[in-house]
Amino acid sequence: MNTNFPQLTDLRNPAFTQALQHKIDTKTKPLGSLGRLEALALQIGAILGTDSPTLQDPQMVVFAGDHGLVRRGVSAFPSDVSWQMVENFLAGGAAVSVFSRANQIALTVVDCGVKHDFLAGLPAGTQRPGLRVCKVPGAEHGTADSSEQAAMTALQCQQALQNGIELVKTLPGNALLLGEMGIGNTSAASLLLSRLTGLEIEVCTGAGTGLDADAVQRKTAILREVLARHPQATAPLDALAALGGFEIATMVGAVLQAAHERRVIVVDGFIASSAVLVAHALQPLVLQRCVFAHRSGERGHEFMLQYLGVQALLDLGLRLGEGSGAALAWPLLQAACAMLCEMASFESAGVSEKTAADPVIPG
């Protein structure tokens, strides 16, 4: 499958990093005393290319899609919950709606392939506030059952990627927060984790929407069956097409475009990280632009973060998805920027710096 995306530039710049580190080190605090917030400030400064970064017009985008595999019983909830939750997002009643509003983050929901017509009954050309419809022609109701055939054709997968790219081009601001909704998408994320990392599917599979232990075993057996049906789907986009979801594929395109534009990408939990996993397989430098908001309570997420070699900001036992963890982590990014831009230095505040220990005079 075509992987002709613009190559990302390497953000590593030793001289800039040294200057930015010096700015952090001379703030009115003991050296390194703000811990990982200092590393976060370094990363945001590198992404935005300035020692005084400001985060502007943050955009939370919730990518939604349905999965044909759900008919095999891999989720505790029916697929109708996907469209019902999209309506909840649009009405402002979901967790990600509340957390985004509390943090003044703009929220957009993208219909990448939900089995529902959100514009039914409306005059032609009518748009609903906060909703973007980016369905792939011929797959308006979501993916096929990946236990029987590829979830998407190669052409459909490419169209979903392009939809994500074009979407980001229309969004203001310099920060993209990733969210998702799709009953069955923990299965797709588990499949991608197993195929792209070589981990056994048992390690990658968790309770999702709340399956009990027996149901998790049945889910694992079904996912093993799916992997066996698509043994040749090993390249990143081939695996995405065979095993993934339209919301994940659209998110991959969005991640690649946001990275190309040097936006700060705030990654939510397991499913959002699976999109980054695919994007990383295509262009490893994408990780330089990604801040991982939290470590999910979903089993496979810890192994995904370990494989990528990254550490999440928070560990709150979250496993809701939607982008809820990304919204909760957002104030930490704001604080990192405020520290760089507003915190006084020893010199500007007239505060004495640490001095060397007094010499020991022999008695």
Side-chain angles (χ1 to χ4, degrees):
M1 192 184 297
N2 176 35
T3 58
N4 188 27
F5 301 107
Q7 290 299 306
L8 297 176
T9 57
D10 192 338
L11 300 185
R12 287 175 291 190
N13 182 329
F16 175 80
T17 300
Q18 184 177 6
L20 187 53
Q21 186 66 62
H22 177 75
K23 182 175 182 178
I24 294 170
D25 290 346
T26 55
K27 297 292 185 180
T28 48
K29 60 177 180 59
L31 196 66
S33 59
L34 283 176
R36 291 183 56 209
L37 195 73
E38 299 185 16
L40 180 59
L42 270 176
Q43 183 184 9
I44 295 172
I47 295 168
L48 300 181
T50 175
D51 67 354
S52 300
T54 58
L55 296 166
Q56 302 168 344
D57 294 321
Q59 303 292 311
M60 171 70 74
V61 182
V62 179
F63 300 83
D66 273 312
H67 296 254
L69 187 62
V70 168
R71 65 180 63 117
R72 294 292 306 275
V74 295
S75 174
F77 286 86
S79 60
D80 277 352
V81 172
S82 297
W83 73 261
Q84 292 164 356
M85 282 303 300
V86 168
E87 291 289 1
N88 194 19
F89 299 146
L90 296 174
V96 71
S97 310
V98 172
F99 297 157
S100 295
R101 193 160 57 242
N103 288 294
Q104 298 181 307
I105 303 168
L107 173 63
T108 301
V109 186
V110 185
D111 176 6
C112 307
V114 179
K115 193 164 49 176
H116 187 77
D117 184 356
F118 295 101
L119 303 178
L122 298 176
T126 301
Q127 300 295 321
R128 293 183 61 180
L131 175 69
R132 299 283 190 95
V133 178
C134 296
K135 292 180 184 287
V136 172
E140 289 83 0
H141 298 306
T143 59
D145 182 349
S146 57
S147 69
E148 297 179 352
Q149 64 189 85
M152 310 166 234
T153 67
L155 186 59
Q156 289 171 341
C157 186
Q158 286 282 3
Q159 183 60 61
L161 288 164
Q162 193 61 40
N163 286 346
I165 290 170
E166 296 303 322
L167 172 72
V168 169
K169 290 179 180 179
T170 69
L171 296 175
N174 60 7
L176 175 70
L177 294 82
L178 302 177
E180 46 64 39
M181 180 63 220
I183 296 301
N185 62 11
T186 59
S187 291
S190 297
L191 289 165
L192 289 168
L193 175 60
S194 179
R195 179 52 54 86
L196 294 179
T197 68
L199 290 170
E200 293 295 329
I201 191 62
E202 292 87 350
V203 174
C204 304
T205 307
T209 48
L211 297 173
D212 61 24
D214 289 341
V216 171
Q217 286 191 344
R218 290 193 295 272
K219 175 182 176 180
T220 303
I222 292 167
L223 299 189
R224 188 181 298 110
E225 179 185 330
V226 173
L227 290 171
R229 180 166 286 277
H230 306 284
Q232 304 305 316
T234 56
L237 293 188
D238 293 339
L240 178 61
L243 310 170
F246 281 115
E247 78 277 41
I248 297 174
T250 308
M251 208 182 323
V252 172
V255 167
L256 290 170
Q257 182 61 30
H260 178 66
E261 295 180 12
R262 290 180 66 162
R263 300 190 192 215
V264 177
I265 303 168
V266 187
V267 186
D268 189 42
F270 185 44
I271 291 88
S273 295
S274 75
V276 174
L277 181 71
V278 176
H280 166 264
L282 296 169
Q283 296 210 33
L285 292 176
V286 76
L287 290 185
Q288 294 179 335
R289 285 82 163 166
C290 291
V291 174
F292 289 81
H294 73 108
R295 187 178 76 163
S296 169
E298 181 65 19
R299 176 172 181 167
H301 195 220
E302 178 179 1
F303 299 103
M304 194 177 283
L305 296 175
Q306 288 177 3
Y307 177 81
L308 292 172
V310 297
Q311 188 175 8
L313 292 176
L314 303 173
D315 188 354
L316 302 176
L318 306 175
R319 54 181 181 85
L320 175 60
E322 302 180 0
S324 53
L328 289 171
W330 180 249
L332 293 176
L333 280 77
Q334 293 179 303
C337 292
M339 182 266 288
L340 278 174
C341 295
E342 301 174 27
M343 189 174 174
S345 66
F346 284 106
E347 182 179 6
S348 68
V351 176
S352 298
E353 296 191 54
K354 178 181 177 181
T355 58
D358 291 334
V360 176
I361 301 174

